[in-house]
Amino acid sequence: MNFSRFYHVWLQHLQLLLEQLAASPKPITNEDQHYTIQLISRVMSHYDDYYRVKTHAAKNDVFSMFSASWLTSLEQSLNWIAGWRPTTIFHLVYTESSACFEARLLDLLQGNRTGDLGDLSPAQLARVSELQCETVRKENEITTELGSWQESACDIVSLLLDQEPEVERLVKVLEKADDLRLKTIKSVVEVLTPQQAVEFLIAAAELQFGVRGWGLAIDQRRGNT
């Protein structure tokens, strides 16, 4: 199975997982904890599978990962080193947290804990902020590595004479970017309670499908012009 086919099958499975997340019990009772934690684990394993297969595919043809023909033009335009920018995760957390906070403001003012993303504790917020700073630093380091590769690749003569080392360097840059993407989403989930993690994973999947749907509509309009 080529990566394009794998990606579309993977997306279909993600849609099923999204439906299970959306249908999970809310609020989560003690009896629901085991099921919810297992569901979160299945979602995280699904992301693990994606990056495992992507790493294997990149070793065979790293340039196809950057051209990403299986993505819409909009998705391609938003990519950072052949994938989503890891710091996007933190913007998503803050956006969802603010929306939940505003929706449950009266409850929170009355001292009623909602347990959702709008009810992040000071310790959770501090940890998320810490993770964000770490991720920004690592993003910058990887971006610098890609810039260094691009500068060396500009020497077309040497690249044509000795392609393999340069290609291997690019594969390693992509692996570091994908490792950071996976580590970031896992680290954020670990900070959250099961209920908050479910809400976060729903928001992440809906964002992915939303951008893809918008991109498909744009590409379809462009094809008709």
Side-chain angles (χ1 to χ4, degrees):
M1 182 185 297
N2 62 32
F3 190 79
S4 178
R5 174 60 180 160
F6 163 78
Y7 181 71
H8 287 94
V9 172
W10 184 87
L11 271 186
Q12 291 172 2
H13 190 190
L14 181 62
Q15 180 64 54
L16 294 176
L17 288 170
L18 173 59
E19 292 170 4
Q20 292 175 29
L21 287 167
S24 62
K26 301 180 188 65
I28 298 172
T29 64
N30 291 334
E31 292 76 16
D32 300 323
Q33 285 277 358
H34 181 67
Y35 168 78
T36 303
I37 291 172
Q38 281 191 325
L39 178 56
I40 293 169
S41 179
R42 288 201 299 273
V43 176
M44 300 314 300
S45 293
H46 192 54
Y47 284 113
D48 274 324
D49 290 341
Y50 173 77
Y51 288 108
R52 175 178 51 79
V53 174
K54 185 180 178 185
T55 296
H56 178 74
K59 290 178 180 177
N60 292 326
D61 182 6
V62 66
F63 299 113
S64 69
M65 296 296 108
F66 283 84
S67 60
S69 60
W70 47 89
L71 297 180
T72 65
S73 55
L74 174 61
E75 290 172 297
Q76 291 173 351
S77 72
L78 296 173
N79 271 355
W80 170 83
I81 310 185
W84 49 272
R85 183 175 287 274
T87 45
T88 303
I89 287 294
F90 302 100
H91 297 300
L92 181 62
V93 170
Y94 294 136
T95 299
E96 290 298 311
S97 179
S98 296
C100 290
F101 179 84
E102 292 176 4
R104 309 285 193 278
L105 181 58
L106 184 58
D107 287 331
L108 293 169
L109 289 175
Q110 293 175 342
N112 299 322
R113 303 298 299 271
T114 59
D116 58 17
L117 281 174
D119 195 16
L120 294 174
S121 69
Q124 286 177 309
L125 288 170
R127 180 56 182 150
V128 169
S129 179
E130 181 182 325
L131 287 170
Q132 183 178 17
C133 291
E134 292 175 4
T135 304
V136 168
R137 177 178 57 79
K138 291 175 182 176
E139 265 189 12
N140 290 338
E141 290 175 356
I142 298 170
T143 298
T144 299
E145 283 193 49
L146 178 63
S148 175
W149 181 88
Q150 290 172 331
E151 287 178 4
S152 63
C154 284
D155 185 352
I156 301 298
V157 175
S158 63
L159 180 60
L160 292 176
L161 291 175
D162 195 8
Q163 297 179 26
E164 188 172 342
E166 291 301 323
V167 172
E168 289 178 354
R169 280 182 60 198
L170 185 58
V171 170
K172 291 187 182 301
V173 171
L174 176 55
E175 286 180 353
K176 288 182 179 180
D178 282 341
D179 285 345
L180 183 57
R181 281 184 266 267
L182 186 57
K183 181 180 178 181
T184 300
I185 193 169
K186 284 185 173 181
S187 296
V188 169
V189 167
E190 288 172 1
V191 171
L192 305 175
T193 66
Q195 179 179 338
Q196 292 166 345
V198 166
E199 294 173 356
F200 164 71
L201 291 172
I202 288 173
E206 287 181 339
L207 177 61
Q208 182 171 357
F209 284 117
V211 171
R212 182 165 181 80
W214 186 17
L216 288 170
I218 292 173
D219 286 350
Q220 185 175 24
R221 287 200 300 271
R222 289 173 60 209
N224 291 334
T225 58

